[in-house]
Amino acid sequence: MNANDLEHQVRTVSRCIPPELVSRLLAHGHAAVVADRAGRGEWFSAQAWARLLAERGCLAEAVEVLTPHAATGRWTAVVALAELLEDWGRIDAAIVTVRARMALGHPNALEYYARLLARHGRAAEAFDLLLPHVGKSSIADALVDVAHVADRDEEAAELLTARVDTHRCSDFPWCCNGFDTDTALGLLATIRERQGRVDEAIALLARRRFASSDGHDQLAELLARHDRIDELHTYAAGDGRDAAAERLAQLLEERGDVHGAIAVYRQHSGQAHSAFGLARLLARHGRGEEAIDTLRARADAHPGGDWILHALADQYLAQGRPADGLAHLDALATLRNGEEAWDLYRLRLPLLAAHLGVDAAIAQARSHPEGATSYAASDLAQLLTAAGRTEEAVAALRPHESENLDTLAEQLVVLGRVEEALALHQQPLVRQLTCGPPR
């Protein structure tokens, strides 16, 4: 096995079956097929088979499966082998495995290696390894975590303070490898919090230019952890504090103050995220009708926001009101001059099935201008599968099998037609499918 073999698996299914199909094979008792494919050098099969062997207590065999893949230098394979060795207490072997790849220069290897060392009594060594490379955000994250174990928090804090005082972003994130001033402030706040200097941590986080990233607000989380609910209320009331408001609502709900949580969401009702959060909260507490009203108000105010319609359709189903859901979609289609693209029409399928039955839903769907497309076939097959009609789902997919290869193969496995499923992945179809671990 070499890197080129695995690279070929990245681009073609002719020498690889995808992970979803591997999982489906195992779930339906076809471990021997997965073992055979692993023996042929297929990565996802090898990964799953090694995991199963380890669960059975066959560590040596599991290591033997993964070693040829790790030997190619592919990072995902190296990590899989190292994790397996670590889980079974073979720490020195795991360290040697990662160190060998680190010597070849993988960008994630140093961080992983340092964390591995820190987990096993070598935190001071890990800290010293990371220190010269701390100009990168992921390395700085690791350094802060390792510093705690190595009892070198103050040394890390001094480095971060210098970064805050001297760094000025010119073209974030390109100018600083993601290690901008906000990142440094957040990491410094992490250190101060675990040192018990909570007020200082709060002051540091208040200095950031951007309060949240990817829906996560570190200051809101800190305030919630320390039960500083009045400060969290004040913070969430600020402009653009959606993530903080959601964390406040979650905290109030956890404390049994459902009315307070609802009030927080309603204060931010102009935001789509808050409307969705409020609807979920109401539904969790048996107030499904109010959840529907909340989502409808948002959908009516922003008719172009199709994503909210997905949540609304789901809620109509959950409340046993499919006819009302269909009526809402009918009214929306009228506003759009009767035009309803498949992306929106597909929301009707579970509603139609619940209201009129699966056959009626399929008949109506096939009359849609896009009802004979490959993507419509996928949705119809999903509807049939949910109704336990797998044979019919396969029949719906067959005319479009090249576009629905994975779904068709999985359904064939459910029916016990494993050879047919595997044959689909032996066809010379070139697709952008990740069948091997990324470099």
Side-chain angles (χ1 to χ4, degrees):
M1 184 182 299
N2 57 49
N4 289 333
D5 289 333
L6 293 182
E7 187 66 30
H8 182 73
Q9 291 186 22
V10 174
R11 295 186 173 86
T12 174
V13 298
S14 63
R15 293 167 61 184
C16 164
I17 55 176
E20 295 82 4
L21 184 56
V22 172
S23 297
R24 191 63 63 97
L25 286 164
L26 290 175
H28 286 80
H30 301 290
V33 175
V34 176
D36 175 67
R37 290 293 177 132
R40 300 184 193 186
E42 293 191 14
W43 164 247
F44 285 124
S45 292
Q47 187 179 38
W49 180 233
R51 188 181 300 119
L52 186 59
L53 286 170
E55 290 172 357
R56 293 174 176 176
C58 305
L59 177 62
E61 291 89 340
V63 169
E64 185 179 353
V65 170
L66 291 179
T67 296
H69 293 272
T72 68
R74 283 189 172 271
W75 177 242
T76 305
V78 170
V79 169
L81 178 57
E83 287 178 346
L84 178 66
L85 292 166
E86 185 183 10
D87 287 345
W88 281 80
R90 293 180 54 181
I91 309 306
D92 290 341
I95 288 172
V96 168
T97 297
V98 179
R99 184 170 59 223
R101 185 62 183 91
M102 185 174 66
L104 298 176
H106 192 278
N108 296 328
L110 175 60
E111 177 190 351
Y112 189 96
Y113 183 65
R115 290 183 184 277
L116 178 61
L117 291 177
R119 286 196 296 272
H120 299 285
R122 296 167 64 177
E125 179 184 349
F127 189 92
D128 290 336
L129 277 172
L130 291 170
L131 202 54
H133 307 279
V134 78
K136 184 180 177 184
S137 177
S138 61
I139 297 296
D141 284 342
L143 185 79
V144 168
D145 291 341
V146 169
H148 184 49
V149 185
D151 196 24
R152 295 172 73 172
D153 268 347
E154 204 52 49
E155 190 174 343
E158 289 175 7
L159 185 152
L160 292 165
T161 299
R163 183 77 174 186
V164 169
D165 291 342
T166 61
H167 180 70
R168 298 294 179 270
C169 291
S170 59
D171 186 23
F172 177 77
W174 317 114
C175 65
C176 53
N177 289 317
F179 190 23
D180 66 323
T181 304
D182 278 6
T183 300
L185 284 166
L187 292 172
L188 183 55
T190 296
I191 293 174
R192 295 309 184 209
E193 182 188 3
R194 70 189 180 208
Q195 289 177 325
R197 297 156 66 173
V198 176
D199 288 337
E200 190 174 341
I202 291 171
L204 287 165
L205 293 173
R207 293 170 56 186
R208 295 170 303 165
R209 293 175 301 164
F210 303 104
S212 63
S213 174
D214 299 326
H216 171 77
D217 191 314
Q218 187 178 351
L219 178 53
E221 295 290 345
L222 185 153
L223 293 170
R225 274 194 300 274
H226 295 276
D227 204 29
R228 299 174 73 148
I229 196 161
D230 290 339
E231 291 168 82
L232 184 52
H233 264 290
T234 301
Y235 179 56
D239 293 337
R241 299 282 190 256
D242 292 344
E246 182 166 17
R247 186 64 189 94
L248 174 59
Q250 290 170 353
L251 179 62
L252 292 169
E253 184 183 9
E254 290 164 7
R255 293 170 52 150
D257 186 3
V258 176
H259 292 297
I262 290 171
V264 169
Y265 276 126
R266 283 183 171 152
Q267 288 169 8
H268 292 256
S269 59
Q271 302 298 321
H273 191 67
S274 292
F276 186 52
L278 175 57
R280 289 186 298 175
L281 173 65
L282 291 166
R284 279 196 300 273
H285 293 276
R287 298 166 66 169
E289 295 299 326
E290 292 176 72
I292 287 176
D293 291 342
T294 297
L295 293 171
R296 280 203 61 159
R298 178 68 193 181
D300 291 342
H302 303 274
D306 289 350
W307 72 270
I308 200 75
L309 294 175
H310 288 260
L312 182 56
D314 288 343
Q315 196 54 233
Y316 273 121
L317 277 176
Q319 297 306 314
R321 294 173 51 187
D324 291 337
L326 291 167
H328 183 87
L329 293 175
D330 287 341
L332 188 60
T334 300
L335 290 175
R336 298 181 179 186
N337 298 318
E339 296 180 3
E340 199 170 31
W342 185 263
D343 279 348
L344 183 56
Y345 185 86
R346 65 194 297 269
L347 298 181
R348 292 178 176 271
L349 297 180
L351 295 168
L352 284 167
H355 184 49
L356 301 175
V358 173
D359 291 325
I362 290 174
Q364 289 196 30
R366 284 179 171 154
S367 68
H368 186 276
E370 298 171 76
T373 60
S374 60
Y375 45 86
S378 177
D379 289 327
L380 295 179
Q382 184 177 356
L383 191 65
L384 288 163
T385 300
R389 296 161 61 171
T390 308
E391 288 278 8
E392 293 174 71
V394 167
L397 291 169
R398 276 295 188 191
H400 310 278
E401 66 177 44
S402 62
E403 296 92 343
N404 293 287
L405 202 63
D406 297 339
T407 304
L408 177 56
E410 290 173 29
Q411 297 307 319
L412 288 169
V413 169
V414 172
L415 293 172
R417 293 154 62 179
V418 176
E419 292 304 319
E420 286 184 62
L422 297 179
L424 291 173
H425 288 280
Q426 293 169 355
Q427 299 175 18
L429 297 173
V430 177
R431 303 187 304 152
Q432 292 300 317
L433 176 68
T434 302
C435 290
R439 285 185 180 275

